[in-house]
Amino acid sequence: MSELLAPAGNMDALKAAVSNGCDAIYLGMQRFGARAYSSNFDLESLKEAISYCHLRNVKVYVTMNTIVFQDEIQDMKEQVKLLNETGVDGVIVQDLAVFNEIVDHYMDLEAHCSTQMGIDDLEGTLFFKELGAKRVVLSREVPIEKVKEIRRKSSVPIEVFIHGALCVSYSGNCLMSGLIGYRSGNRGRCVGSCRKLYDCIDTSTNTSLGKSYILSMKDLNTIKHIDDLKGIDSLKIEGRMKEPEYVSNVVSIYRKALDGQEVDINNLNKTFNRTYTKGYMFHEDKKNITNILRPNNYGYEIGYISNYIKGKYEITLHSPLNQNDIIRIDHKNEDINLSVIKLYDEKNQLINKSNDICYIKIKEKCSIGDKVYKTKDIQYYNSLKEIKEFKRFDLDIKVYAYPQSNLIIEANGLNVQYIYQSEEILESAQNNPTGQEQIVKQFSKLKETVFQLGHVEFEGYNVFIPVKLLNQARREIVNGLYELKLKSKDRRVKEKIKKEKISFPEKKPYLTASVMNSDQYEACKEAGIETIYYQNVIRRNQNEYKEKEGELLIGGYGGIYKYKDTNPFVSDYSLNVVNSASIYQLHALKAKRVTLSYEMNEKQIKDCIQAYYNENDGYPSLEMIVYGRAPLMFTNYCPLKKLNQCGNCKKKQYELKDEYGSFPIVSHEDCTTTLLNGKILNLLDEMNHIEHVEAFRLNFTIESKEETIKILQIAKEKLAGSNQSVFNQNTDTRGHFNKEIA
């Protein structure tokens, strides 16, 4: 059976999910989780959550799916230790340092590979299977046929997202929030750059294709494909930032659908949605996967403005409207949002509900024909607030009761056994002896527990058992079974394994270059750059692994699995390496050099290198990008297709523009897209101050051959010791080098 995995941003949402039938919960702590702005859990509420869930046979997974800087490593280790001790079932991780901490030290705590790792193929799945992963959360872009193939061929439990908000970028491969707002998605602090308004510019003619929410994805909804999803190990609902009513609604509908019950799928519209897509998993047309008109709660249509009479707007309804509902009126593509405090009928009488025509006062100006949407159905919301036991577990008891003896009850429930023995000695009955009927009556009072009374056996003769004693026995048995259940799971720790130290002789720093076209390649070659990444780049996502010769630049874990035994390779920035443990792991996997993340500042780079030296008695072999337009995101979506410009990318150039700057669009042959930073990362002035980094990379993207030649010459002069500053305040950025990212 597929596990239904639900989000919990707080205890209320957790109880809402469990009471509606989820099999597992995922939640975050105050640190290291990719939803830093959710309420999240502290130690005490985590313990409460684990007890609540485990008593109901619901598993608990904790997200630690952010990158972890060097000065956080010790805190990370302490948190993992704490999670193991408190009984967490698994940890969802992005950073190799966290992954290895779990796999290397804990036997009963599972490491789950987050979608932030960007695993979208069999090779990446097998890579982490070999390293000890117990589950892989595949990228949302993987089609269902490939999901099932990966599951079949790898024999690794697979988790997929089935409902909720979508990232337009491949998860873990978006730097936009961090590089523009200094709040990183890889740190759980995404500012939602993709939900903003952008102007799309044809730079060939400097004409606008119009402003829109061009990067704002619809919400994922796969309820119509539930039969195709059955059999996948875990089905995950997104929503740790959502309110408990949202969690109740979505979990309830998917639970019923998975169980083969009839459901009204339109009820999904009654809690937050940005309109829906079936997602890449079910082959959604790239043109239909975004809602570029609005990024917020869409609601569902219930009627339209049909008249204006005596200071009130008339609404003709095709779905009911209740007092205190919240509605949205679409007026010339601008939203008017209001709570319906007062609702009138045609006689100007206040009413609580209308099914056909009603009247409301609206201070904003509306037009006849404006559509009306309901964004909050108050009655439906109130129905979602109830917390109930989704499933109760049998409490089987065998009662031994004889005069002049203790009351003894053998109780079985939750797969554990508890034996109760009273301190009190039972006496003979004077009139009415206690029988099985009285036992059943008192032990059926289990409403405040997870139990229902199951099989009852009674052995006794002419005995009197006080009701008070039976009630006391029931309470003690319930608490005893609870305690045994919660202590029944092993939390074993592995013996520490001494790792081989890996270090490299220091070399005089040199330049490398990555290029996107043959002109740039020729310019680099003519300039004497020995290491040029062009046809030998294996990107992080969407790969067909063909046989390659020579050294490779590999951006994803699947590529490392495929080529580590056949080709020398350099790991790319897209592996988000920010600590010494991750560098060590990649060197152990035969990486010739490890490229550092864009999201590190100068101090963090120094701390990381020093920690590696202390641990290995020598330095790592590192590469660092010091020039170029950073790739803000890599996406399977094509904004140009959405704007009916399909094919024009071959002859024109486009960019997105907002109040802060412009972002060039690079369209690839396979119709994937990279969005670049308009400002150029320029750390050429800093190169000679950065110690123990072997290779400094120049990243050429949309530069002409002439521009490429010019930059190459400047970089060579700077590396040779030139003191003349080449940083341009108007066009360049130092990225995170002098700023700490949140």
Side-chain angles (χ1 to χ4, degrees):
M1 292 289 290
S2 298
E3 170 190 272
L4 183 59
L5 177 56
N10 54 46
M11 198 65 198
D12 288 340
L14 181 144
K15 289 180 178 179
V18 174
S19 75
N20 283 282
C22 71
D23 301 298
I25 287 285
Y26 68 103
L27 56 86
M29 299 289 284
Q30 303 296 325
R31 297 186 68 186
F32 306 118
R35 286 292 182 272
Y37 301 123
S38 176
S39 298
N40 293 316
F41 288 72
D42 58 18
L43 178 58
E44 290 309 308
S45 56
L46 175 66
K47 289 178 179 177
E48 181 187 355
I50 292 170
S51 297
Y52 188 88
C53 289
H54 282 180
L55 288 176
R56 292 159 177 81
N57 281 350
V58 172
K59 291 187 175 181
V60 177
Y61 309 129
V62 171
T63 57
M64 288 186 68
N65 52 344
T66 61
I67 54 176
V68 180
F69 291 121
Q70 195 65 47
D71 63 355
E72 300 173 313
I73 290 290
Q74 190 55 43
D75 288 347
M76 174 273 289
K77 290 180 177 181
E78 288 174 7
Q79 182 163 306
V80 171
K81 181 174 182 286
L82 193 70
L83 298 184
N84 181 65
E85 290 171 351
T86 52
V88 168
D89 296 283
V91 184
I92 305 167
V93 304
Q94 173 184 189
D95 199 301
L96 281 175
V98 188
F99 180 89
N100 286 337
E101 179 66 18
I102 296 164
V103 171
D104 290 349
H105 297 100
Y106 301 99
M107 298 175 69
D108 304 300
L109 186 63
E110 295 186 350
H112 295 185
C113 296
S114 170
T115 190
Q116 290 286 115
M117 282 183 162
I119 303 168
D120 64 348
D121 52 31
L122 175 63
E123 289 80 3
T125 306
L126 291 172
F127 175 87
F128 279 104
K129 179 182 181 179
E130 286 189 1
L131 291 182
K134 299 301 181 185
R135 180 182 294 185
V136 168
V137 187
L138 291 176
S139 296
R140 295 168 174 95
E141 292 80 1
V142 182
I144 188 67
E145 298 83 4
K146 191 174 180 182
V147 171
K148 292 181 177 180
E149 178 189 12
I150 291 169
R151 177 66 181 90
R152 186 178 68 253
K153 291 184 176 179
S154 71
S155 299
V156 174
I158 295 297
E159 180 177 307
V160 297
F161 282 87
I162 60 168
H163 196 94
L166 290 170
C167 295
V168 66
S169 171
Y170 273 88
S171 294
N173 221 359
C174 181
L175 303 173
M176 194 167 189
S177 175
L179 283 170
I180 295 171
Y182 295 98
R183 294 198 300 181
S184 169
N186 283 316
R187 300 278 291 163
R189 292 175 170 83
C190 177
V191 297
S193 302
C194 56
R195 304 296 182 190
K196 287 184 59 182
L197 197 63
Y198 293 96
D199 197 358
C200 187
I201 307 293
D202 177 350
T203 58
S204 320
T205 58
N206 201 30
T207 56
S208 170
L209 301 179
K211 287 187 176 181
S212 66
Y213 297 96
I214 189 64
L215 299 177
S216 184
M217 298 283 274
K218 296 178 180 178
D219 284 352
L220 181 63
N221 180 344
T222 63
I223 193 69
K224 292 181 180 178
H225 301 273
I226 202 72
D227 288 338
D228 285 330
L229 291 164
K230 289 177 180 176
I232 295 171
D233 300 276
S234 184
L235 307 178
K236 186 174 197 171
I237 295 165
E238 183 278 335
R240 281 193 290 135
M241 299 286 286
K242 298 294 197 306
E243 58 193 340
E245 292 82 1
Y246 174 92
V247 176
S248 288
N249 190 37
V250 178
V251 170
S252 172
I253 290 169
Y254 276 91
R255 176 76 277 158
K256 289 172 183 173
L258 279 169
D259 293 346
Q261 298 177 35
E262 201 169 312
V263 293
D264 184 354
I265 62 174
N266 291 320
N267 282 339
L268 288 169
N269 299 329
K270 293 182 179 180
T271 45
F272 188 98
N273 74 89
R274 298 181 179 90
T275 68
Y276 288 120
T277 171
K278 60 187 176 182
Y280 295 117
M281 186 157 57
F282 292 103
H283 310 287
E284 183 71 270
D285 187 329
K286 292 184 182 184
K287 195 171 182 178
N288 297 329
I289 206 158
T290 51
N291 180 345
I292 68 173
L293 297 178
R294 56 179 45 80
N296 51 356
N297 190 8
Y298 192 86
Y300 60 100
E301 189 179 339
I302 61 168
Y304 63 94
I305 302 289
S306 50
N307 209 342
Y308 183 74
I309 302 172
K310 296 179 180 179
K312 298 186 185 73
Y313 283 99
E314 178 186 86
I315 303 177
T316 298
L317 299 165
H318 53 71
S319 290
L321 179 62
N322 305 295
Q323 183 185 15
N324 295 323
D325 283 349
I326 297 176
I327 61 173
R328 174 177 67 83
I329 299 169
D330 185 355
H331 176 65
K332 298 180 180 178
N333 285 330
E334 293 289 332
D335 286 348
I336 299 169
N337 296 289
L338 67 147
S339 181
V340 182
I341 304 299
K342 291 183 179 180
L343 191 62
Y344 299 87
D345 63 12
E346 67 276 3
K347 295 178 182 177
N348 203 32
Q349 300 294 311
L350 284 170
I351 54 176
N352 295 323
K353 180 178 181 180
S354 177
N355 293 311
D356 42 32
I357 292 178
C358 64
Y359 300 83
I360 60 173
K361 291 180 181 178
I362 305 172
K363 64 180 180 180
E364 294 88 354
K365 183 173 176 55
C366 300
S367 301
I368 307 302
D370 285 353
K371 290 182 178 179
V372 179
Y373 299 81
K374 188 184 291 191
T375 56
K376 188 168 187 176
D377 182 323
I378 193 66
Q379 291 185 3
Y380 189 71
Y381 260 69
N382 288 338
S383 74
L384 296 171
K385 292 181 185 293
E386 182 186 1
I387 301 298
K388 56 191 180 301
E389 292 296 341
F390 178 77
K391 179 183 179 183
R392 292 189 183 272
F393 302 90
D394 282 347
L395 172 61
D396 299 325
I397 59 172
K398 189 170 184 179
V399 180
Y400 301 89
Y402 293 95
Q404 308 311 310
S405 297
N406 307 93
L407 173 64
I408 296 174
I409 303 175
E410 293 177 2
N412 290 277
L414 300 172
N415 297 318
V416 290
Q417 183 183 65
Y418 183 83
I419 298 177
Y420 169 84
Q421 180 172 316
S422 69
E423 293 181 3
E424 191 173 332
I425 301 298
L426 300 179
E427 296 180 359
S428 299
Q430 298 298 318
N431 295 311
N432 298 314
T434 301
Q436 183 160 327
E437 185 178 329
Q438 185 68 25
I439 301 293
V440 169
K441 180 181 178 182
Q442 296 311 124
F443 269 82
S444 294
K445 297 176 180 180
L446 293 165
K447 284 188 178 179
E448 302 304 315
T449 76
V450 302
F451 293 114
Q452 61 187 9
L453 189 59
H455 182 67
V456 178
E457 285 186 49
F458 178 72
E459 285 189 20
Y461 177 75
N462 194 38
V463 69
F464 172 71
I465 311 174
V467 169
K468 183 179 179 181
L469 181 58
L470 288 175
N471 290 336
Q472 177 188 319
R474 184 189 69 243
R475 288 190 292 269
E476 184 177 319
I477 285 168
V478 167
N479 291 330
L481 289 170
Y482 280 0
E483 190 173 344
L484 287 168
K485 171 66 175 178
L486 294 174
K487 289 182 176 178
S488 63
K489 188 165 182 175
D490 290 333
R491 309 309 300 181
R492 296 167 295 172
V493 177
K494 295 180 182 178
E495 288 187 24
K496 289 185 179 179
I497 301 171
K498 193 172 182 181
K499 292 188 176 182
E500 176 191 357
K501 294 182 178 182
I502 302 173
S503 63
F504 298 83
E506 287 201 83
K507 295 182 181 179
K508 185 178 179 181
Y510 55 90
L511 296 173
T512 67
S514 55
V515 303
M516 296 192 78
N517 58 53
S518 56
D519 283 347
Q520 294 167 349
Y521 177 81
E522 289 302 322
C524 292
K525 200 171 179 183
E526 290 165 11
I529 303 298
E530 292 186 12
T531 300
I532 308 170
Y533 307 118
Y534 181 31
Q535 306 288 6
N536 59 340
V537 177
I538 310 298
R539 72 187 185 199
R540 171 170 166 150
N541 298 105
Q542 297 227 348
N543 279 302
E544 292 180 14
Y545 301 112
K546 298 174 182 176
E547 296 302 315
K548 297 274 188 179
E549 292 185 2
E551 183 176 296
L552 304 175
L553 177 65
I554 300 179
Y557 295 113
I560 294 176
Y561 180 84
K562 175 66 178 178
Y563 297 108
K564 65 184 174 66
D565 296 325
T566 58
N567 298 73
F569 73 92
V570 176
S571 67
D572 206 359
Y573 74 91
S574 50
L575 294 181
N576 297 319
V577 172
V578 297
N579 56 63
S580 61
S582 296
I583 295 171
Y584 178 90
Q585 179 67 70
L586 290 167
H587 279 324
L589 291 162
K590 304 179 184 177
K592 183 179 175 182
R593 287 187 303 282
V594 174
T595 307
L596 295 174
S597 165
Y598 274 101
E599 298 192 310
M600 298 179 78
N601 64 31
E602 184 178 18
K603 182 180 183 302
Q604 288 163 342
I605 293 169
K606 287 180 179 177
D607 288 349
C608 180
I609 293 171
Q610 186 61 51
Y612 191 96
Y613 183 88
N614 294 343
E615 293 155 6
N616 293 279
D617 300 328
Y619 291 107
S621 179
L622 299 177
E623 186 157 327
M624 180 177 170
I625 300 168
V626 293
Y627 169 85
R629 289 174 177 82
L632 297 182
M633 62 172 65
F634 175 65
T635 173
N636 194 30
Y637 163 65
C638 179
L640 299 179
K641 183 176 183 180
K642 183 70 177 181
L643 296 174
N644 299 313
Q645 301 297 308
C646 196
N648 288 343
C649 60
K650 292 177 172 59
K651 51 192 177 185
K652 294 183 177 182
Q653 284 192 322
Y654 299 86
E655 66 182 18
L656 298 184
K657 195 170 186 179
D658 67 5
E659 66 270 32
Y660 299 110
S662 57
F663 311 101
I665 298 171
V666 176
S667 301
H668 305 293
E669 289 295 323
D670 58 358
C671 294
T672 56
T673 304
T674 298
L675 190 68
L676 299 175
N677 197 355
K679 286 216 163 190
I680 300 166
L681 177 70
N682 186 344
L683 297 175
L684 299 179
D685 288 343
E686 318 296 335
M687 279 192 298
N688 289 320
H689 309 301
I690 301 171
E691 297 180 322
H692 313 301
V693 171
E694 179 177 318
F696 294 108
R697 190 192 310 173
L698 311 175
N699 177 34
F700 297 108
T701 51
I702 60 174
E703 290 85 354
S704 65
K705 185 172 183 179
E706 292 72 24
E707 289 172 317
T708 304
I709 291 170
K710 180 181 175 183
I711 294 300
L712 284 162
Q713 185 58 38
I714 291 171
K716 289 169 74 175
E717 290 172 2
K718 291 298 297 182
L719 198 60
S722 169
N723 291 321
Q724 185 175 352
S725 175
V726 296
F727 185 85
N728 185 326
Q729 200 90 27
N730 297 319
T731 60
D732 299 346
T733 175
R734 291 188 178 88
H736 299 298
F737 194 72
N738 296 326
K739 293 185 180 180
E740 185 168 356
I741 197 167

